[in-house]
Amino acid sequence: MIVGGAWRRSVSATVRSSAGARCQGFSAPSSSPSATAHQAAGCENNVSQLPCRWFSILSAYKSRIPRHKIQLNPQFNNLVFHCHETTAAAVDTSDPQCQKFEYQAEVSRLMDLIVHSLYSNKEVFLRELISNASDALDKLRFLSVTEPELSKEAVDLDIRIQTDKDNGIITITDTGIGMTSQELVDCLGTIAQSGTAKFLKAIKDSKEAGADSNLIGQFGVGFYSAFLVSDKVVVSTKSPKSDKQYVWEGEANASSYTIREEMDPEKLIPRGTRLTLYLKRDDKAFAHPERIQNLVKNYSQFVSFPIYTWQEKGFTKEVEIDNDPAEVNQEGGEDTNTEKKKKTKKVIEKYWDWELTNETKPIWLRNPKDVTTEEYNEFYKKTFNEYLDPLASSHFTTEGEVEFRSILFVPAVKKDDIVNSKTKNIRLYVKRVFISDDFDGELFPRYLSFVKGVVDSNDLPLNVSREILQESRIVRIMRKRLVRKAFDMILGISLSENRDDYEKFWENFGKNLKLGCIEDHSNHKRIAPLLRFFSSQSEDDLISLDEYVENMKAEQKDIYYIASDSLTSARNTPFLEKLLEKDYEVLFLVDPMDEVAIQNLKSYKEKNFVDISKEDLDLGDKNEEKEKDIKQEFGQTCDWIKKRLGDKVASVQISNRLSSSPCVLVSGKFGWSANMERLMRAQTLGDTSSLEFMRARRVFEINPDHPIIKNLNVACRTCPDDPEAQRAIDLLYDTALISSGFTPENPAELSGKIYEMMGTALGGKWAAPSPMPQEYGSAGQHHGSGSKETQEAEIVEPVEVGVQK
């Protein structure tokens, strides 16, 4: 059994050897553990002695207690009870050493609130009680600087948790400051009165706090979380300022509690507090040693004092076994003089001992210069159950109006859904005590939910149960700084010499950044440099917007892009023709989120994003004289085509973006593009009523240099009512729909038009020449007595000729 210092000696042995002298230590039992104790909410030590009149907090003692006013103090996020002093005196019980007290306030209602409404998860009771124990140890360490006599008992500063799973008992013991009888009344008899808060206030008022305080407790209801799982709680405490040890005992749903002096010499402790929880029938599973150990590791892993749990252990040893009598007789018959070799087997011998469960120095409290990459990676994989090293990490401390420490990581693989804001990727600590991992929705926006890490703050605005992060200016500032650090970390990956790292990141989390373009307008300048796209000059490798701007032509003013469903479609679109001739690079937006992301960015480095499939495309090469001549020549043709197409198009114009195609159908400047219209049609729950409105304006652009358009121009002037010319316009519009990325409304009708045009163009081109009449006659004479087919020809043809004659 590994027990340090005075802990190695048992109480009973000390009593026997010292003839009733005060116990200097106590030991852990070697068999099934019995009831032990736990530190309650710490209380201010310099408490003025009150007369024999008490204040009630929980009871329904209404005859002598005036009505109390309960209000929520927003400054301390705590329940504050304004009570008038009462004349309710302590009620003596049958034991002359035991005194009975009534709670302050109404216990039946307030205790019910704590047990059933305040905490959503029962397992946090251990977190609260360990935090209280840590506060008691911190108080002792702080006060011992000026009052060395407080730590005269040479006992290690630690916390020990012991369980009795058979009887459903948990004991939590600390060697902290302890409490006197009056402090028990003030601290445990008053819900929502925090001894820690009063202690900190006293330090602040005296201006003696030269260093940062490590006190954890912030709320007086932390102790009462024990009643989440307990029917009865017993607190045995010994303050170094008192010669006596007192026992506080209370039950759930009771209106009173008792305080008595500890008279059993075997239960005396040198200093500190021992809290014993008698668990409810449904909560006895918490008394399993493994369960307690897991809870400590989850919530109190980084408490600054060692936490020991009572665990069952074992070691392997070899023991002798008896030989089989039959084998003994057989061997004896062969050679009775031969020495018989004893047989052994390996067995596991079990025993109980203390085991250190926590790490007292969290990695984020260390200097980043002293932490290696391997240590960061090991912490990441252990904390978040990962098997691959992170792509990047960021360890930082912020100071100023908001102070906190944090370590952030970018995972190497994607696990969570992009729309899930509660990913449990951010573990929030308050003074090294784990509070929750459901706060990343408040501390990080949804699109950065893939970032993992820990955040440790001393003054986060939590609610009284510490389970809800209250919206405040502090939270907004923390969120802003965390997001900024996350972007710096991602930017570091993009600037790394290993290009594969960012390609891996973009493959996993590129959609998240595109979502950020849509949702977070304030961080556009940080998101835009991280985006990657294919382009007309880089179809195999993704490029950044910085690379695009660097490759822009001197006369190029805008950043051009085309949205499509695939690289092949984007590469072959007619909208590219003139831009490729001018050697302008065009971004290919082939992901469904690309177009929306770019539209939300609007510009990058004072360069506007321009969709080359929209009307009014300006390539910077306008020739007004030439355009005037072309419009004069083809103006009548444009009107003629518009009259034929009717409401299908808003207008017909001369195109400046075509070089080889006869025509193209462009979208209105403020309407949906063909790609967006396709995506909206594919929406399962999309509102089809908006389709007509958003796609209402389509412009039909014609290429005046193409032979088809020139022929139509002649037809417009000579025979505008020619049915073939009219059908040519219809077919030209339908083919422009397809080439421009739109979907024809009636594919069957389009197919019929194509077949008709093909029949007109190919009619008789490959047909055999018509046979002459004399050839049939000569053929009949030649095959006079030939095959059956020939005989039929000889019979039929002369009859027909005879009839004609």
Side-chain angles (χ1 to χ4, degrees):
M1 184 169 62
I2 304 173
V3 182
W7 298 85
R8 303 179 64 91
R9 294 173 296 172
S10 67
V11 174
S12 59
T14 305
V15 173
R16 289 193 299 270
S17 63
S18 303
R22 182 170 299 278
C23 172
Q24 300 297 320
F26 60 90
S27 69
S30 58
S31 60
S32 177
S34 61
T36 41
H38 173 35
Q39 168 64 25
C43 184
E44 183 182 1
N45 297 285
N46 300 323
V47 182
S48 60
Q49 296 296 324
L50 300 177
C52 191
R53 288 186 297 176
W54 311 105
F55 298 88
S56 62
I57 68 157
L58 288 176
S59 75
Y61 189 68
K62 300 180 180 179
S63 60
R64 299 181 183 178
I65 301 176
R67 302 173 74 95
H68 303 90
K69 297 179 180 179
I70 303 177
Q71 69 178 17
L72 185 65
N73 190 328
Q75 181 179 359
F76 299 100
N77 299 310
N78 201 352
L79 288 173
V80 178
F81 296 84
H82 298 283
C83 305
H84 299 287
E85 186 176 356
T86 72
T87 58
V91 180
D92 292 339
T93 61
S94 57
D95 186 352
Q97 301 295 330
C98 180
Q99 290 182 308
K100 183 177 180 182
F101 299 89
E102 296 290 336
Y103 283 107
Q104 282 189 323
E106 298 218 3
V107 63
S108 59
R109 298 180 60 185
L110 194 51
M111 188 71 78
D112 182 74
L113 174 67
I114 293 173
V115 174
H116 299 103
S117 302
L118 193 60
Y119 296 95
S120 61
N121 191 355
K122 285 186 175 183
E123 65 185 22
V124 300
F125 82 93
L126 191 63
R127 177 194 72 188
E128 299 295 312
L129 299 179
I130 290 177
S131 298
N132 290 338
S134 176
D135 283 352
L137 292 166
D138 261 320
K139 288 181 190 178
L140 177 67
R141 185 167 58 181
F142 183 87
L143 295 174
S144 297
V145 176
T146 56
E147 302 177 61
E149 65 276 5
L150 296 179
S151 57
K152 60 184 177 180
E153 300 289 347
V155 180
D156 295 337
L157 299 179
D158 57 19
I159 304 170
R160 296 178 182 260
I161 306 175
Q162 196 170 355
T163 60
D164 181 354
K165 64 181 180 180
D166 296 330
N167 298 314
I169 299 174
I170 300 176
T171 58
I172 305 171
T173 306
D174 69 76
T175 56
I177 192 63
M179 288 177 282
T180 64
S181 175
Q182 184 61 48
E183 289 169 345
L184 281 173
V185 175
D186 293 339
C187 294
L188 303 190
T190 305
I191 289 185
Q193 175 172 312
S194 174
T196 298
K198 295 176 64 177
F199 183 78
L200 290 174
K201 185 177 184 300
I203 294 176
K204 183 178 180 181
D205 293 341
S206 63
K207 298 182 180 179
E208 295 177 357
D212 293 336
S213 173
N214 292 323
L215 293 173
I216 297 170
Q218 295 180 358
F219 312 108
V221 297
F223 164 74
Y224 292 94
S225 64
F227 289 102
L228 289 170
V229 296
S230 307
D231 283 325
K232 184 174 73 171
V233 177
V234 177
V235 180
S236 183
T237 181
K238 170 67 170 61
S239 172
K241 294 184 177 183
S242 174
D243 295 332
K244 297 180 180 180
Q245 179 174 326
Y246 294 96
V247 179
W248 181 99
E249 185 172 332
E251 296 183 0
N253 300 322
S255 61
S256 61
Y257 59 91
T258 61
I259 296 178
R260 58 181 171 84
E261 183 182 348
E262 181 61 78
M263 305 303 295
D264 188 350
E266 293 189 358
K267 295 182 179 180
L268 296 178
I269 56 179
R271 184 191 66 233
T273 303
R274 182 177 62 204
L275 190 147
T276 306
L277 307 180
Y278 295 88
L279 301 180
K280 300 176 182 177
R281 178 182 300 179
D282 296 338
D283 297 315
K284 288 187 176 182
F286 284 107
H288 285 263
E290 296 82 4
R291 181 80 177 272
I292 290 296
Q293 188 177 52
N294 292 334
L295 291 179
V296 171
K297 289 182 177 180
N298 186 39
Y299 288 100
S300 305
Q301 176 77 1
F302 304 108
V303 169
S304 55
F305 294 97
I307 302 175
Y308 295 92
T309 56
W310 190 242
Q311 298 292 331
E312 186 179 26
K313 299 183 178 181
F315 64 92
T316 304
K317 68 176 184 179
E318 291 188 356
V319 296
E320 297 180 0
I321 59 175
D322 296 333
N323 294 328
D324 189 355
E327 295 181 0
V328 172
N329 295 333
Q330 183 177 0
E331 292 176 0
E334 294 177 358
D335 187 0
T336 55
N337 297 326
T338 304
E339 184 178 357
K340 300 177 181 60
K341 185 178 180 180
K342 296 182 178 180
K343 293 185 178 181
T344 63
K345 69 175 181 178
K346 293 182 178 181
V347 296
I348 299 178
E349 184 170 325
K350 295 183 178 181
Y351 65 99
W352 289 83
D353 200 355
W354 294 110
E355 180 178 323
L356 181 64
T357 307
N358 68 322
E359 300 176 10
T360 58
K361 186 68 173 178
I363 189 174
W364 60 80
L365 294 182
R366 296 165 56 185
N367 191 328
K369 296 180 181 179
D370 300 332
V371 185
T372 63
T373 303
E374 290 73 18
E375 288 178 306
Y376 284 127
N377 294 344
E378 185 64 26
F379 173 78
Y380 166 77
K381 289 188 285 189
K382 180 180 178 181
T383 304
F384 299 101
N385 296 322
E386 294 284 350
Y387 59 92
L388 295 177
D389 293 338
L391 292 178
S393 63
S394 177
H395 183 185
F396 59 93
T397 302
T398 63
E399 298 179 350
E401 55 184 336
V402 177
E403 297 183 4
F404 64 92
R405 298 172 181 267
S406 179
I407 302 179
L408 302 179
F409 300 94
V410 175
V413 294
K414 180 180 180 181
K415 289 185 177 180
D416 301 305
D417 187 3
I418 189 174
V419 300
N420 183 13
S421 60
K422 298 293 185 182
T423 56
K424 299 185 181 297
N425 286 340
I426 300 299
R427 294 177 61 85
L428 180 65
Y429 292 80
V430 172
K431 295 185 177 180
R432 308 166 311 283
V433 176
F434 174 66
I435 300 300
S436 176
D437 52 9
D438 284 336
F439 289 149
D440 51 341
E442 287 82 5
L443 297 176
F444 272 96
R446 178 174 64 158
Y447 68 93
L448 288 179
S449 59
F450 62 89
V451 177
K452 299 186 177 183
V454 297
V455 178
D456 187 6
S457 173
N458 292 342
D459 52 358
L460 271 180
L462 302 173
N463 74 338
V464 69
S465 69
R466 314 189 195 190
E467 296 180 350
I468 301 175
L469 189 61
Q470 297 176 352
E471 182 63 28
S472 68
R473 184 178 59 88
I474 295 178
V475 176
R476 290 194 296 270
I477 294 174
M478 288 185 63
R479 176 188 176 110
K480 185 176 181 180
R481 293 184 179 179
L482 288 170
V483 170
R484 186 181 304 168
K485 289 294 184 179
F487 278 123
D488 292 342
M489 183 170 50
I490 298 172
L491 183 62
I493 303 175
S494 67
L495 299 177
S496 173
E497 296 180 357
N498 188 357
R499 191 180 179 95
D500 293 339
D501 286 346
Y502 196 75
E503 289 180 357
K504 186 185 301 183
F505 167 83
W506 183 256
E507 181 181 355
N508 290 325
F509 308 111
K511 291 183 183 295
N512 293 68
L513 296 184
K514 296 171 188 176
L515 181 63
C517 295
I518 302 170
E519 295 186 343
D520 192 356
H521 295 275
S522 61
N523 282 306
H524 277 177
K525 291 184 179 180
R526 293 186 175 90
I527 299 174
L530 304 174
L531 300 178
R532 296 294 184 269
F533 304 98
F534 292 105
S535 74
S536 58
Q537 298 180 7
S538 179
E539 298 181 10
D540 297 326
D541 297 323
L542 294 166
I543 65 168
S544 65
L545 294 178
D546 287 324
E547 292 173 317
Y548 181 96
V549 173
E550 185 179 350
N551 296 332
M552 287 177 62
K553 301 297 180 183
E555 69 276 9
Q556 186 177 346
K557 299 179 180 179
D558 301 317
I559 301 176
Y560 299 112
Y561 70 89
I562 179 69
S564 185
D565 59 342
S566 65
L567 281 175
T568 303
S569 300
R571 187 188 307 118
N572 297 317
T573 182
F575 299 106
L576 281 176
E577 294 173 359
K578 210 56 169 293
L579 287 97
L580 294 181
E581 285 185 359
K582 300 173 72 67
D583 200 24
Y584 286 170
E585 189 173 12
V586 179
L587 297 177
F588 290 163
L589 309 186
V590 295
D591 186 84
M593 296 182 65
D594 286 346
E595 185 176 2
V596 183
I598 288 295
Q599 289 175 352
N600 278 270
L601 285 181
K602 296 182 180 178
S603 64
Y604 181 71
K605 291 186 175 180
E606 300 181 354
K607 306 288 184 181
N608 293 326
F609 290 102
V610 175
D611 187 350
I612 63 173
S613 69
K614 297 290 185 71
E615 64 177 329
D616 298 334
L617 178 65
D618 184 11
L619 299 179
D621 57 352
K622 286 188 176 181
N623 187 332
E624 294 183 359
E625 292 294 330
K626 183 178 180 181
E627 289 182 1
K628 185 177 180 180
D629 295 339
I630 293 176
K631 286 182 179 180
Q632 185 175 0
E633 181 179 357
F634 289 88
Q636 185 178 352
T637 303
C638 291
D639 296 338
W640 176 56
I641 296 175
K642 174 64 175 70
K643 182 180 179 181
R644 174 62 182 177
L645 296 179
D647 295 335
K648 293 180 180 180
V649 297
S651 63
V652 179
Q653 300 177 4
I654 304 299
S655 178
N656 65 339
R657 72 187 86 206
L658 299 177
S659 60
S660 59
S661 299
C663 60
V664 72
L665 196 63
V666 301
S667 303
K669 190 172 183 180
F670 302 103
W672 283 337
S673 65
N675 181 69
M676 183 58 65
E677 184 177 322
R678 176 182 58 83
L679 293 176
M680 295 306 297
R681 283 181 176 274
Q683 296 298 317
T684 304
L685 301 177
D687 184 9
T688 56
S689 62
S690 62
L691 291 176
E692 294 297 329
F693 172 76
M694 294 302 296
R695 72 173 187 181
R697 181 174 177 81
R698 292 177 180 174
V699 179
F700 190 67
E701 293 188 358
I702 60 175
N703 180 9
D705 296 328
H706 197 276
I708 294 178
I709 302 302
K710 290 181 178 180
N711 288 334
L712 288 178
N713 188 38
V714 174
C716 173
R717 297 177 182 277
T718 57
C719 51
D721 297 328
D722 187 352
E724 291 188 4
Q726 300 287 344
R727 289 196 298 270
I729 295 175
D730 294 340
L731 185 60
L732 204 62
Y733 170 79
D734 290 334
T735 53
L737 271 176
I738 299 175
S739 64
S740 301
F742 295 97
T743 302
E745 296 181 0
N746 193 340
E749 182 181 353
L750 173 60
S751 301
K753 293 177 182 178
I754 295 175
Y755 297 151
E756 182 182 355
M757 294 294 290
M758 290 178 64
T760 303
L762 303 178
K765 186 173 183 179
W766 296 291
S770 301
M772 298 298 295
Q774 60 271 19
E775 290 181 357
Y776 288 103
S778 59
Q781 295 173 1
H782 180 71
H783 299 285
S785 59
S787 65
K788 183 177 179 181
E789 295 180 358
T790 305
Q791 294 175 0
E792 291 179 354
E794 292 175 348
I795 294 172
V796 174
E797 299 252 352
V799 172
E800 292 181 354
V801 173
V803 172
Q804 291 177 359
K805 290 181 180 180

